[in-house]
Amino acid sequence: MLRVRCLRGGSRGAEAAHLIGAMLGRWVQRAAQSTLSAAAVQPRLEEAVTEPLPEECPVCAYNEWDPLEEVIVGRAENAHVPPFTVEVKANTYEKYWPFYQKYGGQSFPKDHLKKAVAEIEEMCNILRHEGVTVRRPEPVDWSMEYTTPDFTSRGMYAAMPRDILMVVGNEIIEAPMAWRARFFEYRAYRPLIKEYFRKGAKWTTAPKPTMSDELYDQNYPIRTVEDRHKLAAQGKFVTTEHEPCFDAADFIRAGRDLFVQRSQVTNYMGIEWMRRHLAPDYKIHIISFKDPNPMHIDATFNIIGPGLVLSNPDRPCRQIEMFKKAGWTVVKPPTPLIPDDHPLWMSSKWLSMNVLMLDEKRVMVDANESTIHKMFESLGIKSVKVNIRHANSLGGGFHCWTTDVRRRGTLQSYFQ
């Protein structure tokens, strides 16, 4: 605040007036220069945030089957076994617990990882041959230990973009995740997401959980498969309702309707956050399955076309009648052919139905699963066959290993 003492006398009065005028003049000049500088900087700030918007947003997908134009494919490089914490134990099978106890925090077996990397490279080549643009996350050193105020962990991988990223319309939604080993997984995808954002996509990051001990039932009583069945039937999971958490792979899209399961990694608070965020344009439906180890919906209930869904016969959907009443065709895929001795450290054999639709008439499917090829043939769908057996061991099939960035289609309703 400008303060001026009044001076007595004529000459002193004139001198004071001159002083005040000079000071005000300099103040006005500085203010004008500041305004001009801000105006000059503003266009440069806007240019840094966004490029000229194209006629079409580079990010747009409403369902799982419209013609695929661009996709993110994960990386197996540097993948590490997650530390054997309570949330990892609840999501893995007992026969693999010794593997986690031995290798937790270390690299997956090197020879196996090398084969997985080669398989995913070939998968990318085949996608390009089918006319799809392929993008990849950044390579990251997942061996580094990190500490938050609530926990200490090491990283895991950026192999399964479906788990962390979901595209709804022209919006990329970054999931908060629920495993401590995946807390910083988003970092591998940020360069891609920023690029899409600059070109016009919407970008939302769901609330990041602290992943403190309160998020997990530290005494979750799992000893046998029977224990798992009993707990799942009672609606008891290793994640609590302490704070919102979800993996994007527990949601599956069908236009204006998205279907989700409460699982070991997705809680009701996370589902409610998504419901409020996407309303009123989209509706979230909670469905459930007879599944002792619910984690990610796409090897249990995979929507492959308008009103067409693969439903796992070993994990029947409790709400299947509402799909039949809506006129949907429910297809039960055949029993997987993957050998019993092939390691599946983070998943079940039902990755055979974890397929990626290239459009309504083309599907990317495991080259070894001859019976499911015949099933797709009977549906009038061509199988694009790729072998990713070693990549399967890291916890995913074709749907898991990808996030569809752009599909050519429009927003429609398929579920009444």
Side-chain angles (χ1 to χ4, degrees):
M1 183 170 64
L2 181 64
R3 292 183 180 179
V4 179
R5 293 179 61 187
C6 293
L7 303 178
R8 294 181 181 177
S11 61
R12 291 186 177 181
E15 184 181 341
H18 175 75
L19 177 62
I20 293 170
M23 294 177 69
L24 286 173
R26 287 195 295 272
W27 180 82
V28 170
Q29 185 180 15
R30 285 197 300 270
Q33 288 173 344
S34 177
T35 302
L36 288 171
S37 297
V41 169
Q42 190 65 30
R44 291 198 293 274
L45 286 174
E46 291 174 355
E47 289 166 11
V49 170
T50 181
E51 299 173 5
L53 295 182
E55 291 184 8
E56 293 185 0
C57 182
V59 171
C60 190
Y62 297 107
N63 56 49
E64 309 289 339
W65 63 83
D66 278 339
L68 182 62
E69 295 183 341
E70 185 163 338
V71 70
I72 299 172
V73 178
R75 285 191 181 276
E77 290 89 339
N78 306 323
H80 275 59
V81 180
F84 195 47
T85 51
V86 63
E87 74 274 18
V88 174
K89 183 177 181 181
N91 282 280
T92 52
Y93 290 99
E94 185 177 2
K95 73 180 207 175
Y96 292 119
W97 288 352
F99 172 84
Y100 284 94
Q101 289 166 335
K102 182 177 180 180
Y103 292 106
Q106 303 176 51
S107 172
F108 281 95
K110 296 290 186 183
D111 288 345
H112 198 102
L113 210 53
K114 185 177 179 180
K115 292 174 182 177
V117 169
E119 288 172 351
I120 296 304
E121 288 298 328
E122 179 62 10
M123 172 184 164
C124 291
N125 290 335
I126 293 172
L127 282 165
R128 294 184 187 105
H129 180 75
E130 294 293 327
V132 180
T133 298
V134 175
R135 309 299 304 274
R136 310 294 299 278
E138 295 294 309
V140 171
D141 179 6
W142 299 108
S143 67
M144 292 178 61
E145 184 176 86
Y146 50 84
T147 299
T148 79
D150 297 287
F151 67 90
T152 297
S153 184
R154 294 184 188 274
M156 189 169 139
Y157 56 33
M160 311 293 164
R162 186 74 57 177
D163 298 355
I164 191 169
L165 300 176
M166 175 166 48
V167 171
V168 180
N170 67 349
E171 179 180 11
I172 302 172
I173 299 174
E174 196 177 296
M177 314 299 283
W179 282 18
R180 288 170 168 175
R182 307 188 77 176
F183 190 85
F184 288 111
E185 193 168 317
Y186 67 88
R187 293 173 62 87
Y189 299 95
R190 280 293 174 86
L192 274 177
I193 298 173
K194 288 188 288 187
E195 176 189 328
Y196 290 132
F197 176 72
R198 289 189 177 106
K199 292 181 178 179
K202 292 174 67 178
W203 172 18
T204 299
T205 299
K208 194 72 175 172
T210 62
M211 297 190 188
S212 64
D213 288 348
E214 289 80 6
L215 180 58
Y216 311 103
D217 181 350
Q218 301 293 332
N219 299 308
Y220 192 67
I222 47 171
R223 292 174 299 277
T224 65
V225 173
E226 288 72 23
D227 286 337
R228 293 172 184 265
H229 274 291
K230 183 178 179 180
L231 290 164
Q234 294 172 349
K236 294 181 179 179
F237 305 91
V238 71
T239 47
T240 68
E241 297 296 330
H242 175 68
E243 57 189 345
C245 66
F246 66 87
D247 282 11
D250 270 322
F251 293 80
I252 197 155
R253 303 156 302 168
R256 292 192 180 276
D257 296 277
L258 286 80
F259 301 91
V260 62
Q261 65 172 349
R262 202 316 184 179
S263 77
Q264 300 286 20
V265 292
T266 296
N267 63 13
Y268 288 119
M269 285 189 75
I271 295 170
E272 178 61 15
W273 184 90
M274 279 288 286
R275 186 190 67 79
R276 296 185 197 181
H277 178 71
L278 292 175
D281 295 325
Y282 301 89
K283 187 173 182 180
I284 302 290
H285 306 265
I286 300 176
I287 55 180
S288 62
F289 308 90
K290 189 179 179 182
D291 183 358
N293 194 45
M295 179 183 175
H296 303 163
I297 200 170
D298 48 1
T300 300
F301 198 78
N302 196 356
I303 302 173
I304 60 170
L308 181 62
V309 62
L310 301 182
S311 184
N312 189 323
D314 280 1
R315 307 170 193 161
C317 177
R318 294 188 177 96
Q319 296 81 19
I320 199 66
E321 288 303 317
M322 76 177 186
F323 291 93
K324 293 178 179 179
K325 288 179 181 177
W328 284 38
T329 299
V330 178
V331 178
K332 294 180 180 180
T335 302
L337 301 178
I338 190 166
D340 289 339
D341 61 353
H342 186 79
L344 290 172
W345 298 304
M346 308 184 73
S347 58
S348 76
K349 292 184 178 183
W350 284 103
L351 290 178
S352 59
M353 63 173 283
N354 187 259
V355 297
L356 177 69
M357 301 304 296
L358 305 184
D359 55 39
E360 285 187 47
K361 297 300 179 182
R362 289 181 301 157
V363 61
M364 182 164 277
V365 63
D366 194 289
N368 303 285
E369 297 287 340
S370 57
T371 52
I372 206 167
H373 304 161
K374 293 177 182 177
M375 182 205 75
F376 281 118
E377 183 181 354
S378 71
L379 295 170
I381 299 172
K382 176 187 174 183
S383 292
V384 177
K385 302 168 188 175
V386 187
N387 178 23
I388 60 167
R389 275 284 193 258
H390 293 86
N392 286 157
S393 301
L394 302 186
F398 299 102
H399 200 255
C400 297
W401 274 93
T402 58
T403 285
D404 32 337
V405 173
R406 189 173 63 258
R407 290 183 178 272
R408 189 172 63 254
T410 57
L411 180 58
Q412 300 181 43
S413 294
Y414 304 96
F415 185 79
Q416 302 296 332

